Amino acid sequence: MRKMLKNLEKHQESIKKSIRAIAHAPDLSINFSSGIENTVFENKHVTLPQITSPKQLEFIKGLADSAAFRLKFDVNSYTLNPHIKHEKCLAHLITARCEILGMEQYPGTKKNILVKLLETQKINDDYTQFLYTGLHYYLNNFAIDLSPKTKIFVEQYKEYFEHLKLALNDKEEFLSAAKNLINILPIKKEEKKAQVEVMDSETPIETVSQPPEYIPTEEKSSFNLKTPTLIEGSQINHTSFLDNKILDYKIFTTEFDQEIPAEKLESIEKLKILRDQLSLKTAGIRKEFEQQARKFKQKLMARRFCKWEKMHEEGVIDSTKLAGLISNQKLNNVFKKFKQDSLNDTIITLLIDNSGSMRGNNIATASILADLLSKTLDSLQISIEVLGFTTLDWKGGKSFQKWLGAGTPKDPGRLNGTLHILYKKGFDSWRKSYRNFGLMLKESMLKENIDGEALKWAAERILKRPEKRKILIVISDGAPLDEVTIANNSPDYLSSHLMNIIKRIEKMPLELIAIGIGHKVEKFYKNSISIKNHNHLGEVLFSKLDQVINKFFR
């Protein structure tokens, strides 16, 4: 028993030293866990599978060398979501590139990477494996028998693999070539057909515990589909309660309504300018908000990495049990397991009022907080979606004109076009979306606010998400207001609709929080807080979010 423990410790320490040395990361935290099959990366923490046999040891050495090379050559690639098919494919190509560069510098790691590659070929039979093993094969790194499918794939896309080969030593060029190849694959068509969202637990990519990807129904998976994370349509009973007919709410026309990503509303050049303006405008408060974000992150990290289950027969040696082991060599419950909590199984939606009354400091503060919160959660691999809402026009615009042209029928309902903006989608990374937040500073976009429909829209989106825990946060500075709608319906038409939406959402499986800036939102939202001005928004937002997440783990 003691010999087995001694050898286990020896191998683990050797692997740890190797990773830290290659990655030039002496402070990197590394653990071994029997609860995982592949490498898990969490910020500056790495967890590898537990060593259970000599054969397993060789595979884990391959995982460890691959992880070290990723840290050395492209640590930022861990922000890619391994459960969105095209991003997973991109991550596999990046992994292959890092391994190829690493083997050139450390030839002794080649046999370990070979073991990992052969295991990858056994596990997967899809584009991720074709790309990963195909690139190694094309560069003649290993004399192995590839699967027929992989050989056909490499031959079919030979020109693209040649581009990858030529761009191997230029990170940006390689990334561009990789995206060119992935973009021509029929991946998106597969995703559109998806009907079931499940975790792809067999993926050989290093990062796990992310939101699941859409898996096509015709695609085979070894995941147990008896208990899927989410089946499309399973939320119908929830969202049907938000139906406008049930809520006695009418819309004269939806012809001019828009739901649009922020990057489609402005050119990239203009978004860059607005982003720079946001940085300048919020320079005075950004440092304070960054400190609050760091504290918030530290609390979440503490919840993630300080949970150990003791009294196990395998895992990491529990130092408190060593004395007992010396006196009783038959003692076998001397291990502890690192408990992976399910913090990643959380989706947060931030819904921001983009009405004209938010102009100036209020909208700038909300925007920079959305940016910092997205960046913070992204580093923790927690999904966040940032949405905005306003109207297309002042005083009704085309919708109102259409009503006038129809002879102004009585009780028309909503008479303005809505503009719902996607600043950051739930599966998008912060890096992909960070420029979008500056768009909130575009004053001509900030008009009126129809809160009920925006809240309904945000709730329907989050309820369709697969994550177990759902948090919807609304930031607003006033009650719903659209002049032509109120003037031609009852004065409380929009407010009543908002209250009805809120009552129904509060009964659904999500946490709804509202933060009012200079406006009391308690009369609408049960779980809410009002602040006098924008200066307190960061403190309140991070505090509220911490309370809700903490409640999940009590």
Side-chain angles (χ1 to χ4, degrees), residues 62-314:
L63 290 178
D65 288 339
S66 178
F69 295 148
R70 283 281 292 275
L71 289 166
K72 181 179 179 66
F73 295 109
D74 205 330
V75 66
N76 292 329
S77 62
Y78 291 117
T79 60
L80 290 171
N81 188 331
H83 303 290
I84 297 177
K85 199 65 170 283
H86 66 278
E87 290 199 21
K88 183 165 70 172
C89 287
L90 184 59
H92 275 70
L93 278 175
I94 292 172
T95 298
R97 171 185 178 264
C98 293
E99 289 173 358
I100 292 163
L101 294 174
M103 288 188 296
E104 288 178 358
Q105 291 188 23
Y106 302 90
T109 64
K110 189 171 182 177
K111 65 176 183 178
N112 298 334
I113 297 298
L114 174 58
V115 173
K116 176 179 179 285
L117 182 141
L118 292 173
E119 286 298 315
T120 300
Q121 188 169 231
K122 287 180 190 176
I123 294 170
N124 273 6
D125 185 24
D126 60 13
Y127 288 123
T128 57
Q129 186 268 117
F130 300 155
L131 291 163
Y132 172 70
T133 57
L135 184 59
H136 274 294
Y137 171 78
Y138 190 80
L139 270 70
N140 297 312
N141 289 322
F142 304 107
I144 59 173
D145 290 327
L146 285 188
S147 68
K149 287 184 179 180
T150 307
K151 287 183 179 178
I152 292 170
F153 180 84
V154 173
E155 190 61 33
Q156 183 178 358
Y157 298 103
K158 187 175 181 179
E159 180 184 349
Y160 291 90
F161 277 98
E162 182 63 23
H163 291 164
L164 291 170
K165 179 181 178 179
L166 294 173
L168 200 64
N169 292 305
D170 189 315
K171 178 179 174 181
E172 295 304 322
E173 284 294 321
F174 182 88
L175 194 60
S176 177
K179 288 178 178 178
N180 288 340
L181 171 54
I182 293 167
N183 286 339
I184 66 169
L185 300 179
I187 293 171
K188 292 184 179 178
K189 290 180 181 178
E190 289 182 5
E191 290 178 335
K192 287 180 181 177
K193 296 176 184 176
Q195 295 181 1
V196 180
E197 293 183 15
V198 294
M199 286 291 281
D200 182 1
S201 60
E202 297 298 322
T203 176
I205 193 69
E206 288 85 345
T207 311
V208 298
S209 303
Q210 279 272 32
E213 66 172 289
Y214 290 96
I215 305 292
T217 53
E218 68 266 23
E219 195 171 293
K220 294 180 180 179
S221 171
S222 59
F223 191 87
N224 182 6
L225 292 179
K226 291 181 180 179
T227 55
T229 309
L230 176 76
I231 297 177
E232 283 296 332
S234 65
Q235 302 294 350
I236 290 174
N237 290 334
H238 297 310
T239 56
S240 63
F241 285 108
L242 301 178
D243 188 88
N244 287 328
K245 290 181 180 178
I246 296 174
L247 295 170
D248 192 27
Y249 179 77
K250 292 191 294 184
I251 302 170
F252 181 72
T253 179
T254 60
E255 180 182 352
F256 308 105
D257 296 351
Q258 289 190 31
E259 175 186 322
I260 189 166
E263 59 268 25
K264 296 288 181 68
L265 287 169
E266 276 294 352
S267 65
I268 294 177
E269 291 73 21
K270 181 63 175 176
L271 286 174
K272 287 179 180 177
I273 292 170
L274 288 168
R275 174 73 202 196
D276 291 341
Q277 289 177 0
L278 176 65
S279 299
L280 288 172
K281 192 174 182 66
T282 58
I285 57 173
R286 187 180 180 96
K287 188 174 181 180
E288 180 186 343
F289 288 163
E290 284 177 338
Q291 289 176 348
Q292 293 166 357
R294 279 196 295 271
K295 289 179 182 178
F296 172 70
K297 181 177 178 178
Q298 287 166 1
K299 288 180 181 179
L300 296 190
M301 292 289 286
R303 292 193 190 108
R304 294 178 123 192
F305 299 139
C306 294
K307 294 185 179 180
W308 291 92
E309 290 182 338
K310 298 188 177 184
M311 304 293 287
H312 284 280
E313 294 184 6
E314 57 180 15

Side-chain angles (χ1 to χ4, degrees), residues 15 36 90 96 289 308 381 417 429 514 521:
I15 288 170
I36 60 173
L90 184 59
F289 288 163
W308 291 92
Q381 297 174 359
S429 66
V521 292

Side-chain angles (χ1 to χ4, degrees), residues 37-39 48-49 59-68 116 204 206:
E37 296 181 5
N38 296 286
T39 315
L48 292 164
F59 174 59
I60 291 170
K61 284 182 178 178
L63 290 178
D65 288 339
S66 178
K116 176 179 179 285
E206 288 85 345

